[in-house]
Amino acid sequence: MPMIEILDDACKGCLLCVPACPHELIHNTKAKLNKRGLYPVEYVDPDGKCTGCRLCAIVCPDAAIRVYKEVKKKSA
Amino acid sequence: MSDERVFMKGNHAACEGAYRAGCKAYFGYPITPQNEVTEYMSAHIWEHGGTFIQSESEVAAINMIMGASATGARAMTSSSSPGISLKQEGLSYIAMMELPMVVMNVVRCGPGLGNIAPHQGDYFQTTKGGGHGDYRLITLAPNSVQEMAQFIYDAFILADKWRNPAMVLTDGTIGQMMEPVDYASMPWMDPPDKSEWQLDEFQEGRERHVLTSIWLDPVDMAVAHEKLIDKYERLKKEEVRYDEYLTEDAEVLVVAIGSPSRVTHSAIRILRQEGLKVGLFRPITVWPFPYDAIRKYADSKRVKAILVPEMNWGQMIEDVKLAVLDKKPVHFVAKHGGLTFTPEDLTEPIRAILKNPEEPNTLWHVS
Amino acid sequence: MDVITIEGTEYKVVAERPKSLTDTPFTYCPGCNHGTTHKIIAEVIDELGIQHRCIGIASVGCSVFSYEFFDFDFISVPHGRALAVATGAKRMRPDSVLMTYQGDGDLAAIGTAETIHACNRGERVTCIFVNNAIYGMTGGQMAPTTLLGMKTTTSPLGRDAKRIGWPMKMSEMLAPLQGAAYIARVSMHDAKHILKAKAAIKKAFRAQLEDKGFSMVEVLSNCNVNWHMTPQEGVKFIEEQMTKNFPLGVYKDVWQEEAAKQTAKEEG
Ligand SMILES: Cc1ncc(C[n+]2csc(CCOP(=O)(O)OP(=O)(O)O)c2C)c(N)n1
Ligand code: SF4
Ligand code: SF4
Ligand code: SF4
Ligand SMILES: [Mg+2]
């Protein structure tokens, strides 16, 4: 299942990634403060909706989002 | 006589000195009386594997030089007074980044557009920094075509040795006149290795190189300053150069640079025939200025007075006075507007000084 | 791409901080597109495999410390002079890849002459021109690219064409010069346009690598802080206002011109 990781200390809470995600998986929860004293956004995806489309990462000015995709095992 | 002896113009000889020093880039903008440099460079630097650009302005030229010298190349530009004013912005950055490069100023008359006649009104903007901030240019002042070539050559060596911009401060007379030059003292050379700091395309496996002149934290800025200050102090100790002519027994010491120093030679010959003991002290590095060497004469019982002829309203005389510290009268002879000295402009005041040596400082005004 | 294992499953990382950036976090304001622009430049440099050949020229503006963020040789130069410095460096080191990174004050005001002439000489350098319609670093003064009616600290009543003229269109100005190989205007307002911008930047570097001439990408970028907007309002402003005044597109494409000439030859 594709997924993303928010690098909390790199995130500046600009929220540009929030509307960029077609599945609304990124939220401005203000749940914690990072090292800079800013609120990083949170990625919440209990149903595994992330498609790994990278749109969130593309719009992030601070390269604070990493996107992972499973390595497809070659079928035997 | 060496095979390398040729008869040529001062401004052309400067270019030949640059080629021999391994200069690979010349960027400049036309301005009289230094056009011969730009023209000669445009025709010949290619023969030495170099590059020429006629830039859109002196501002662009000095910044192109900044780029070229940042990559480790030996690079030079030249101009005349109004153009040097424009280059001062770049020189300030170049000095702070400790980029070695050479700039020649074939001084003309100012302020403003002034005229294209020889002048020495740029002494301040050359030796006291000129642009913003604290910085110094190593400055050599030639007085012959031979020295035009030699000092450009030496300026490249000094610039690299100290990682500092170097200036050759000359005037229209020396730039335009023709004399024989012997290049035997200027063997062809390559620049030293600058791979420790230069910007280049061989970055794989090494730390990246960054050249900058900004430190927002005053503490860091002060550290950067101290490095420059220390360099300048060492330069003052190690690189002072000057030339002397009949100074051993001189009672009047003339301190002059550039074309006035040539006229001083003629004046001294006339006065010596009359039995008057006059000598010439000629600073070669006007920065670092030979304060100590001049002070020795100020301290000497024999020397009665010092005379400074300048083609301006009095600039180098301020440094001479700093050296003399009121121990002896310092007289001034001015030529300005673009007028040049004749030997009589100097012989007359010197005779008067020797008749009445106790006379305190007088401003002799000739024009 | 790196592969990592999380709870027994192998993942490849399909988006992360590009290699050509240092680990130093950007010091730009939250949401500032200077960061976005840095990131896509670094991605292009990674993809072209030219990181260790690059020499960057940092100009004066908010990006004055860009040399802290790009992981290759850099020089910081006087306001407006980046393209003259790049010229000197490139002439001495034709195998290096020169990039200037300049704001609108830097490129279109104080550095106009250097810009036009570097382009006209066809210098083999790549210029990234960040047009945010304002002087960000000095606190939001009017730029040559400030839109009509836009309020800045030096146009408090809004830019008035009668007094100060119209927003400067640098891409349109430079494209007709024969030294230009590739000139494009792109925007940072959404993911689609950011990807297009990245493609344009790649082309601009290719123009240099293929020795075609001068290349510039004008990046419409936000300065939400000095526009007094949120980042989201900022990118919306780019989309709705900036692109109207500064139409996006490719203004010069040397490959297209070459192809057109070739076709004409074949047909003629
Ligand atoms: C010669 C000179 N004049 C003025 C300044 C002050 N200054 C610094 S940045 C700047 C404007 C920068 O605006 P821009 O190029 O648009 O960059 P931005 O900050 O918007 O990215 C000015 C005027 C300077 N550093 N040097
Ligand atoms: S990769 Fe795509 S789907 Fe996944 S969080 Fe980012 S924008 Fe949403
Ligand atoms: S775009 Fe980047 S910096 Fe901005 S909130 Fe999202 S993760 Fe954080
Ligand atoms: S002032 Fe404007 S341009 Fe500068 S970093 Fe902040 S948002 Fe970006
Ligand atoms: Mg700007």
Side-chain angles (χ1 to χ4, degrees), chain B residues 35-54:
Chain B
N35 288 322
E36 296 81 4
V37 185
T38 317
E39 287 163 359
Y40 197 86
M41 284 290 186
S42 76
H44 299 293
I45 198 167
W46 314 100
E47 296 155 22
H48 308 288
T51 299
F52 166 87
I53 300 176
Q54 179 170 326

Side-chain angles (χ1 to χ4, degrees), chain B residues 24-25 27 46 50-57 59-60 63-68 70-74 89-90 93 97 99 198-214 216, chain C residues 22 51-56 60 64-65 67-79 81 83-97 110 113-115 117-118 121 123 137:
Chain B
K24 291 288 182 273
F27 309 127
W46 314 100
T51 299
F52 166 87
I53 300 176
Q54 179 170 326
S55 59
E56 59 272 28
S57 69
V59 175
N63 284 285
M64 290 175 185
I65 295 290
M66 186 187 299
T71 67
R74 277 191 164 159
E89 179 203 51
Y93 290 75
M97 289 191 277
L99 291 176
Q198 75 192 13
L199 314 180
D200 61 35
E201 63 276 27
F202 310 113
Q203 297 163 36
E204 195 89 60
R206 68 151 163 82
E207 287 267 296
R208 73 202 187 96
H209 295 158
V210 173
L211 296 165
T212 185
S213 64
I214 176 172
L216 287 186
Chain C
T22 62
Q51 178 185 356
H52 299 295
R53 284 168 65 193
C54 280
I55 297 177
V60 183
V64 66
F65 288 117
Y67 60 80
E68 301 269 9
F69 312 129
F70 287 105
D71 193 8
F72 41 85
D73 284 6
F74 243 85
I75 180 170
S76 140
V77 306
H79 196 22
R81 317 297 176 221
L83 282 165
V85 179
T87 296
K90 182 71 177 185
R91 293 294 183 111
M92 290 296 100
R93 294 208 169 267
D95 292 334
S96 58
V97 180
I110 195 166
E114 285 79 0
T115 304
H117 287 275
R121 285 191 303 267
E123 296 297 341
M137 187 193 216

Side-chain angles (χ1 to χ4, degrees), chain A residues 37-53:
Chain A
L38 298 167
Y39 292 112
V41 289
E42 275 191 89
Y43 166 62
V44 190
D45 188 12
D47 306 328
K49 282 187 181 165
C50 176
T51 58
C53 69

Side-chain angles (χ1 to χ4, degrees), chain C residues 115-129:
Chain C
T115 304
I116 290 174
H117 287 275
C119 176
N120 193 51
R121 285 191 303 267
E123 296 297 341
R124 272 57 173 163
V125 301
T126 299
C127 167
I128 308 297
F129 165 36

Side-chain angles (χ1 to χ4, degrees), chain A residues 6 10-18 41 56 59-62 64-65:
Chain A
I6 310 280
C11 173
K12 289 178 183 162
C14 73
L15 309 184
L16 285 176
C17 54
V18 174
V41 289
C56 53
V59 300
C60 175
D62 286 278
I65 300 178

Side-chain angles (χ1 to χ4, degrees), chain C residues 34 60-62 102-106 129-137 141 143-145 221-223 227:
Chain C
H34 269 305
V60 183
C62 279
Q102 305 174 255
D104 39 42
D106 195 87
F129 165 36
V130 176
N131 177 357
N132 57 10
I134 205 144
Y135 284 15
M137 187 193 216
Q141 294 84 2
T145 46
S221 196
N222 69 359
C223 172
W227 291 355

